[in-house]
Amino acid sequence: LATIDPDLVIYMCTSGSFLKGNEWEKEIRDKIEAITKAPVISTSQAVLEGLKALKLSKIAMWTPYDEDITKREVEWLRSNQIEVTDHQYGDIVDNLDRGSQTPERTHYCARKLDISNADGIFVSCANIRAIEVLSRLEEDTKKPAMSSSQATTWLAIRKVGISTPVLGYGSL
């Protein structure tokens, strides 16, 4: 990456960047920035900034992770003043299997969440297809919906100076 002189580098993994907390996530960005000499963002950073931009402090969350990683994410979000009012997980251990989930499956799983006490919906994991169904999820629930990939893309385009909204992929 350093040899292409990038404008921005993205560490695109939700669980890989939140798993050991905010200091760990900052260390990852600092190490990559030292090597590439480029600004670096992480998916966890983007998730927090996206939730803040949408003014979401209470969310219902679906993940493809196992129970342990999902519970760790709930705790990480709580440590960042985000209450998870309901969460469900897909228990998909293999990363390739996560990536092969269809957007329709993601939509179906997110719709099973109890959103009655939530300000919005968060679909975690940068390796699942959710961007395509966020607008439909918002239409169905009348609440903002955000995914890891959407938040990362949103933050990345802003970090490189693009402020034009991208329509059709959720409120963010």
Side-chain angles (χ1 to χ4, degrees), residues 54-73:
L54 290 172
K55 297 180 174 60
L56 300 180
S57 61
K58 295 180 183 181
I59 59 167
M61 178 178 72
W62 185 81
T63 82
Y65 311 131
D66 62 19
E67 183 178 18
D68 178 58
I69 293 174
T70 301
K71 285 184 176 181
R72 289 180 189 213
E73 186 166 18

Side-chain angles (χ1 to χ4, degrees), residues 24-146:
W24 167 256
E25 182 272 338
K26 175 90 169 70
E27 278 183 41
I28 292 170
R29 287 189 288 129
D30 289 347
K31 286 178 182 179
I32 296 170
E33 189 169 323
I35 294 166
T36 63
K37 308 294 187 250
V40 178
I41 64 169
S42 76
T43 302
S44 291
Q45 173 191 17
V47 164
L48 293 177
E49 290 193 31
L51 292 171
K52 182 179 177 181
L54 290 172
K55 297 180 174 60
L56 300 180
S57 61
K58 295 180 183 181
I59 59 167
M61 178 178 72
W62 185 81
T63 82
Y65 311 131
D66 62 19
E67 183 178 18
D68 178 58
I69 293 174
T70 301
K71 285 184 176 181
R72 289 180 189 213
E73 186 166 18
V74 169
E75 289 304 314
W76 170 74
L77 287 163
R78 183 177 296 131
S79 74
N80 285 284
Q81 291 71 54
I82 305 294
E83 179 186 348
V84 179
T85 61
D86 185 39
H87 68 276
Q88 295 183 19
Y89 56 92
D91 206 20
I92 305 169
V93 178
D94 184 80
N95 204 37
L96 291 176
D97 289 341
R98 286 182 196 153
S100 68
Q101 299 301 300
T102 65
E104 291 74 23
R105 177 76 180 152
T106 301
H107 181 268
Y108 171 79
C109 292
R111 288 290 286 135
K112 291 173 48 179
L113 292 164
D114 176 359
I115 61 169
S116 59
N117 295 316
D119 302 327
I121 300 164
F122 173 50
V123 179
S124 184
C125 186
N127 190 31
I128 60 170
R129 291 180 59 192
I131 289 176
E132 300 98 315
V133 296
L134 292 175
S135 289
R136 182 166 45 126
L137 194 56
E138 289 182 346
E139 289 172 19
D140 292 348
T141 64
K142 308 298 184 234
K143 296 193 180 202
M146 189 183 88

Side-chain angles (χ1 to χ4, degrees), residues 10-18 42-44 65 125-127 148 152:
I10 302 168
Y11 182 75
M12 186 86 172
C13 183
T14 314
S15 63
S17 54
F18 79 70
S42 76
T43 302
S44 291
Y65 311 131
C125 186
N127 190 31
S148 294
T152 307

